[in-house]
Amino acid sequence: MHQMSPDMQSCIDECLRCYQTCLGMASNHCLPAGGKHIEPEHFRLMLACAEICRTSAHFMLLGTAHHKHTCAECADVCEDCARSCEQVGDMQACVEQCRRCAESCRKMAA
């Protein structure tokens, strides 16, 4: 396995936590809550956020320099997801995790 910087390991951890949080909240919070929690734009954004987080972690684990591109996109999607979850309300865990992940991914994309 390639040598990984502490910052990259931290970003992988944040991405995987965000993947788990977004997918878990979408499945176990938004679906049962219904209403604005499952409006298509919001729900698709949560699923997209989970997927780009998983993909970014995967690229970093592979050791490819292309992780800079996925991390840049991940930061943008996470910020959008945090804003959407904030607007919907009652989703603070997702808001906070998305913002932590976005911050970490911005560092990796630089």
Side-chain angles (χ1 to χ4, degrees):
M1 189 167 161
H2 68 284
Q3 285 290 46
M4 189 176 301
S5 73
D7 284 344
M8 184 175 285
Q9 183 59 58
S10 177
C11 190
I12 291 167
D13 294 342
E14 292 297 344
C15 285
L16 292 175
R17 273 192 291 274
C18 199
Y19 166 69
Q20 182 178 8
T21 300
C22 286
L23 192 58
M25 290 283 290
S27 299
N28 301 309
H29 176 75
C30 291
L31 281 176
K36 60 187 175 180
H37 286 85
I38 56 169
E39 287 178 0
E41 187 175 339
H42 171 72
F43 200 76
R44 284 186 189 115
L45 183 56
M46 289 193 71
L47 297 179
C49 188
E51 186 59 26
I52 193 67
C53 288
R54 186 186 70 82
T55 300
S56 290
H58 190 113
F59 273 44
M60 287 182 277
L61 287 165
L62 287 173
T64 174
H66 291 282
H67 77 272
K68 290 180 181 263
H69 305 293
T70 58
C71 285
E73 185 61 23
C74 189
D76 289 346
V77 174
C78 283
E79 283 296 339
D80 289 349
C81 190
R83 275 191 297 277
S84 182
C85 290
E86 206 165 43
Q87 289 171 351
V88 167
D90 192 30
M91 300 188 67
Q92 197 58 33
C94 201
V95 171
E96 291 170 5
Q97 184 56 53
C98 284
R99 291 208 168 118
R100 279 193 300 273
C101 188
E103 182 180 338
S104 188
C105 278
R106 272 192 291 278
K107 290 177 188 171
M108 280 297 105

